[in-house]
């Protein structure tokens, strides 16, 4: 076990699977006291099989202010990783009001709520690292068929920069992460859905892989390594930035 996050308390939303889960495990392996939360308690409870005593799990619905307030107060985190988010497919003509509302609530508003709840404790201690999940799709690169998603993830960059600039002199850092395509359960669902549209799952998979010049998608663990870096004091001079980790998608 490493020591890079020893003595720190980390709260993670959407930790039952994918990047959130990998990040909970990676932070626990670096010595943090981790509060891994999700709405899917069945999936979340499987994290117990990792046998990491420093992971505590509980239900936190990022769409529900009361649930957020209670969860943040229970964790009183030094590190807040806002990972919850949902990917809608389609262009602006496909977008409907309800889906737009849902995405803005889950992908953006939930971060305002968790940050508002966590900041007072961080300010009292004079330190804190907030990490928000954005995406390469949005403000970094315009991805086809990701109108609602890209709009919401671009908003996360603005939210991140705003928080970073307002609290930079009080020991608080706020960064966001912009991954390319990452292997996760919901990504597998998206491949299946596109495969049904195209009549070939292999073709769908090839399209997702082709976005990354490296010729593959990321593992959740590769993103978790960046989360640990941003959470730790190693990144003490970094705030207000979108950190792109996309296999070269936007870097050509
Ligand atoms: P995922 O989409 O497979 O899992 C999402 C998790 O969010 C699930 O465990 C689900 O139960 C939880 N969740 C759903 N609604 C919730 C709510 N209201 N409150 C709390 N938790 C809730 O995981 P993933 O693909 O690793 O995505 C995680 C984050 O990373 C998302 O914000 C996503 O937009 C972002 N992201 C993913 C990719 C990718 O290719 N997978 C790329 C860039 C960014």
């Amino acid at each position: 076990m490493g020591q890079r996050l020893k003595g720190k308390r980390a709260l993670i939303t959407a930790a039952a699977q994918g990047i959130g889960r990998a990040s909970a495990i990676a932070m626990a392996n670096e010595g943090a006291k981790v509060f891994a939360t999700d709405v899917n308690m069945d999936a979340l409870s499987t994290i117990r099989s990792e046998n990491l005593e420093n992971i505590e799990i509980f239900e936190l619905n990022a769409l529900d202010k009361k649930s957020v307030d209670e969860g943040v107060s229970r964790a009183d985190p030094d590190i807040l990783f806002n990972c919850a988010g949902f990917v809608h497919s389609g262009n602006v003509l496909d977008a409907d009001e309800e889906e737009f509302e849902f995405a803005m609530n889950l992908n953006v508003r939930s971060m305002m709520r968790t940050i508002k709840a966590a900041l007072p404790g961080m300010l009292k201690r004079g330190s804190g690292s907030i990490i928000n999940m954005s995406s390469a799709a949005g403000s970094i690169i315009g991805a086809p068929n990701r109108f609602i998603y890209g709009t919401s993830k671009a908003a996360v960059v603005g939210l991140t920069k705003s928080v970073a600039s307002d609290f930079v002199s009080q020991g608080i850092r706020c960064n966001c992460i912009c991954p390319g395509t990452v292997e996760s359960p919901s990504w597998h669902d998206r491949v299946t859905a596109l495969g049904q549209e195209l009549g070939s799952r292999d073709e769908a998979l090839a399209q997702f892989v082709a976005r990354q010049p490296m010729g593959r998608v990321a593992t959740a663990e590769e993103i978790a390594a960046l989360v640990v870096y941003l959470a730790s004091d190693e990144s003490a001079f970094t705030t207000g930035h979108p950190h792109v980790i996309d296999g070269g998608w936007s870097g050509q």
Side-chain angles (χ1 to χ4, degrees):
M1 187 181 286
Q3 304 284 308
R4 292 154 77 200
L5 300 178
K6 196 168 185 310
K8 295 186 194 286
R9 298 161 66 87
L11 174 65
I12 306 172
T13 63
Q17 62 188 40
I19 299 165
R21 180 189 169 102
S23 300
I25 294 165
M27 288 205 241
N29 276 325
E30 287 295 340
K33 164 79 188 176
V34 173
F35 298 87
T37 72
D38 203 285
V39 282
N40 184 343
M41 289 308 287
D42 285 344
L44 184 61
S45 61
T46 66
I47 210 167
R48 292 206 178 101
S49 66
E50 298 292 325
N51 288 322
L52 287 161
E53 280 170 12
N54 49 337
I55 298 184
E56 186 174 318
I57 63 169
F58 61 84
E59 187 170 343
L60 188 158
N61 180 356
L63 288 170
D64 177 353
K65 185 175 181 311
K66 186 164 173 280
S67 175
V68 167
D69 286 345
E70 284 172 6
V72 173
S73 145
R74 175 165 168 180
D76 192 17
D78 307 293
I79 298 160
L80 170 64
F81 178 28
N82 284 313
C83 187
F86 184 79
V87 182
H88 285 98
S89 298
N91 63 31
V92 65
L93 296 174
D94 305 316
D96 76 33
E97 299 273 348
E98 265 173 41
E99 286 178 339
F100 191 86
E101 178 97 358
F102 178 83
M104 294 307 281
N105 275 339
L106 182 59
N107 299 4
V108 188
R109 190 189 303 252
S110 69
M111 295 187 182
M112 173 186 75
R113 289 179 169 156
T114 55
I115 292 169
K116 278 183 84 133
L119 256 179
M122 291 179 174
L123 288 169
K124 215 189 285 174
R125 292 185 289 276
S127 80
S129 176
I130 299 165
I131 303 153
N132 298 321
M133 181 51 84
S134 180
S135 173
S139 63
I140 309 296
I141 199 161
N145 279 316
R146 290 290 182 269
F147 168 74
I148 291 178
Y149 183 68
T151 302
S152 68
K153 291 299 188 179
V156 172
V157 177
L159 177 152
T160 298
K161 285 178 178 285
S162 172
V163 172
S165 78
D166 282 334
F167 297 96
V168 64
S169 62
Q170 293 171 79
I172 310 298
R173 298 187 297 114
C174 184
N175 290 284
C176 63
I177 296 185
C178 301
T181 316
V182 185
E183 184 170 13
S184 75
S186 75
W187 174 68
H188 282 289
D189 295 344
R190 288 189 289 283
V191 175
T192 302
L194 182 61
Q196 279 160 0
E197 253 175 60
L198 299 174
S200 160
R201 196 176 193 280
D202 286 350
E203 173 55 25
L205 192 59
Q207 285 192 13
F208 274 106
V209 168
R211 301 201 300 196
Q212 285 75 216
M214 283 187 187
R216 66 176 180 87
V217 301
T219 65
E221 287 72 22
E222 286 174 311
I223 312 303
L226 179 56
V227 174
V228 168
Y229 168 70
L230 291 173
S232 79
D233 294 341
E234 288 170 7
S235 60
F237 204 51
T238 296
T239 194
H241 273 286
H243 295 260
V244 179
I245 174 164
D246 69 354
W249 188 9
S250 64
Q252 304 297 299

